[in-house]
Amino acid sequence: MSSFAGLNTALSALRYNRVAMDVASGNIANVGTEGYTRRTVQGVAVGAPDQPAMWSRYSGAGDGVQVAGIDRMSDMLLDIRARREHGNQSYLDIRQAVLERVESGIGEPGPSGVAAAIADFRAAWHDLANNPGSDAARSAVLGRAATLADAIKIQARNIESEAGDQRFRITADVAEVNTVASDLAATNRSIAVANLNGTDAGVLLDKRDQLAMRLSELTGSKATLRSDGGFDVSVNGVPLVVGNQAGTLSVATGITPGGASDGNPITYEITDSSGTTAVPSGMLGEIGGVTDLLNTTLPAYTAGLDAIAVQLATEINTQHQAGYDKAGNAGQPFFTYNPANPAGSLTVALTDPAELAASGIPGGGLDASNATAMATATGVEASYQRLINGFGTEVASVTRLAANQQVLTSQVDGSREQLSGVNLDEETVSMLAAQHAYEAASRVLTTLDSVLDTLINRTGVTR
């Protein structure tokens, strides 16, 4: 080994530690960059050649160091689990947010809810029974009845408004899925080119991971690593992204192009170069959560509210038609509704207080027996309480599941952050270590230069 070899060894150390400082500097610069994965430089000692020469042998003590590569500090298993947990979290979070908003609009228990309106309606009939000739008491019954009908209609309208908003959310989410899928396909293409050319693909891999995570949050999709470094993505087993080709997710049924409901359950399909494939039910992510709300949860509550409206109208109308109004005529139906939308169309059919059939006998007498019967004619409170209790139980269950899932998701995110996140203290120590190693290599160069100076300029020199 000659002194000139020592110069190369010191030079390799300078180069390696310069790269190490560059990597640490890049980590520190991206400490706040979303989706950035920490890098580390991997060094490898340069020694004897792998293939020994036939007529000579290696006599050196090592030829320094070289950069073997720059690694992204990521764990593929942790990334897979993080995408899965975020898909589950998005599914539960959107359900929790929507159901809590609907529950707030129901307003039970409260002074403006349907339960309070039923109690007021019943009390108004009791007041009329105590004074069947009072026009004020009759007007109060009609007013309380209108309030009750409005309370039910407001609930039905709130549910329909929420469903309409969520249909537009699905439309927007599907558009975002297609945009992200297209971006991921383009990123896959760039990663393949970068790997083929041997250039650093770290930034592209960060972007790939971010796009795959967003697709998981939207659809609960699964990503599979390709041999060229890209991701293939499937939604419930149906390919959405394959290499540099992206399919198109669309709503097959359930939502019209204008955003209204077509009366069918919401389903999806993916169209790519091979044709159109229906996506099986059971999608997770934000779209899956909204789909379950629109296909199951909100229609079930609407059906329950419709049943309440029908029961109320049927029981009240039956009893009212058994009595007689102020003029002695037989009672008329009290409530009317559209059978296609009972809760949203429930209306008081009577407009004249004199038409209230408070009397149980014909002829126009001041009898109040039917008013007393009207006060107890309906048992809709029990049905309504079961509906509210069932809905409240579902909201509480979703809230609890979302909180439990959040704990799990946070644990996975924490594990990923420990591995992939930038620790400023650690990076500073790495940079200082590389700096001192660089200075030491410089000192080696100075020492070798001094040795060479002695050999060249002073050896054998005589006065």
Side-chain angles (χ1 to χ4, degrees):
M1 180 179 181
S2 69
S3 298
F4 295 104
L7 287 174
N8 285 331
T9 300
L11 177 61
S12 71
L14 290 177
R15 289 171 173 169
Y16 171 78
N17 286 291
R18 179 183 57 80
V19 174
M21 286 188 285
D22 288 344
V23 171
S25 176
N27 288 337
I28 292 173
N30 287 283
V31 65
T33 303
E34 185 179 358
Y36 178 78
T37 300
R38 182 166 64 99
R39 273 75 155 167
T40 60
V41 58
Q42 299 298 323
V44 58
V46 179
D50 296 335
Q51 297 296 329
M54 180 177 294
W55 303 111
S56 64
R57 66 178 184 179
Y58 178 76
S59 60
D63 291 334
V65 63
Q66 66 180 12
V67 176
I70 298 175
D71 293 344
R72 295 173 70 248
M73 300 301 292
S74 63
D75 185 324
M76 189 57 66
L77 293 179
L78 270 179
D79 291 345
I80 292 173
R81 189 176 178 190
R83 286 192 288 271
R84 182 175 67 243
E85 302 305 340
H86 274 263
N88 294 335
Q89 188 72 57
S90 297
Y91 174 85
L92 292 171
D93 283 348
I94 190 64
R95 283 181 58 82
Q96 179 188 3
V98 172
L99 291 180
E100 287 182 346
R101 190 160 53 244
V102 171
E103 186 181 42
S104 177
I106 291 174
E108 299 290 0
S112 57
V114 171
I118 294 174
D120 290 344
F121 178 66
R122 195 184 298 280
W125 277 108
H126 278 298
D127 293 341
L128 180 59
N130 292 331
N131 190 4
S134 170
D135 290 338
R138 289 174 176 270
S139 296
V141 169
L142 291 182
R144 300 287 176 79
T147 300
L148 173 57
D150 288 343
I152 294 176
K153 284 192 290 189
I154 287 172
Q155 276 201 24
R157 187 166 60 244
N158 287 341
I159 298 294
E160 181 55 34
S161 297
E162 186 66 44
D165 292 345
Q166 296 310 316
R167 283 193 290 271
F168 279 109
R169 178 191 290 270
I170 282 183
T171 303
D173 284 348
V174 167
E176 183 178 356
V177 166
N178 292 327
T179 301
V180 175
S182 178
D183 290 347
L184 179 58
T187 303
N188 283 345
R189 184 185 305 111
S190 299
I191 290 173
V193 172
N195 288 333
L196 188 62
N197 294 335
T199 56
D200 181 24
V203 175
L204 294 172
L205 296 177
D206 289 347
K207 184 179 180 182
R208 176 203 64 184
D209 290 349
Q210 283 184 286
L211 294 172
M213 177 65 80
R214 184 55 185 156
L215 284 177
S216 295
E217 291 174 344
L218 288 170
T219 65
S221 62
K222 294 182 179 178
T224 306
L225 182 64
R226 296 170 54 85
S227 59
D228 59 8
F231 273 161
D232 288 341
V233 175
S234 62
V235 179
N236 266 12
V238 180
L240 177 64
V241 178
V242 179
N244 58 10
Q245 300 295 321
T248 302
L249 177 69
S250 59
V251 177
T253 62
I255 302 177
T256 66
S261 172
D262 65 4
N264 297 310
I266 298 174
T267 59
Y268 302 91
E269 60 188 13
I270 293 178
T271 303
D272 57 17
S273 57
S274 63
T276 300
T277 306
V279 179
S281 60
M283 189 186 298
L284 292 176
E286 189 171 301
I287 293 180
V290 176
T291 301
D292 284 352
L293 285 169
L294 292 176
N295 283 350
T296 305
T297 308
L298 296 183
Y301 186 82
T302 300
L305 198 60
D306 284 341
I308 296 296
V310 171
Q311 180 184 358
L312 174 67
T314 301
E315 292 175 346
I316 292 297
N317 288 349
T318 300
Q319 186 60 50
H320 192 258
Q321 288 174 294
Y324 299 90
D325 62 16
K326 199 171 184 179
N329 300 316
Q332 302 298 314
F334 192 92
F335 287 113
T336 62
Y337 61 87
N338 181 352
N341 182 23
S345 61
L346 186 67
T347 307
V348 179
L350 306 180
T351 57
D352 186 355
E355 294 177 332
L356 289 178
S359 174
I361 58 175
L366 291 179
D367 177 70
S369 59
N370 199 52
T372 302
M374 287 291 292
T376 58
T378 179
V380 75
E381 291 100 326
S383 301
Y384 182 68
Q385 187 175 10
R386 284 194 296 273
L387 176 66
I388 294 300
N389 287 344
F391 188 78
T393 300
E394 182 163 5
V395 175
S397 174
V398 169
T399 301
R400 183 170 56 254
L401 290 174
N404 293 340
Q405 179 64 45
Q406 185 60 60
V407 174
L408 185 58
T409 304
S410 298
Q411 288 177 347
V412 175
D413 287 346
S415 298
R416 289 185 75 214
E417 183 64 22
Q418 288 180 1
L419 177 64
S420 305
V422 176
N423 185 308
L424 291 177
D425 294 340
E426 184 178 343
E427 297 303 330
T428 302
V429 170
S430 298
M431 179 171 286
L432 288 175
Q435 178 189 1
H436 286 302
Y438 191 93
E439 291 172 353
S442 300
R443 182 61 60 87
V444 171
L445 278 178
T446 302
T447 303
L448 291 175
D449 179 64
S450 176
V451 170
L452 289 174
D453 179 66
T454 301
L455 288 173
I456 295 172
N457 298 321
R458 300 180 186 178
T459 302
V461 176
T462 59
R463 292 183 179 181

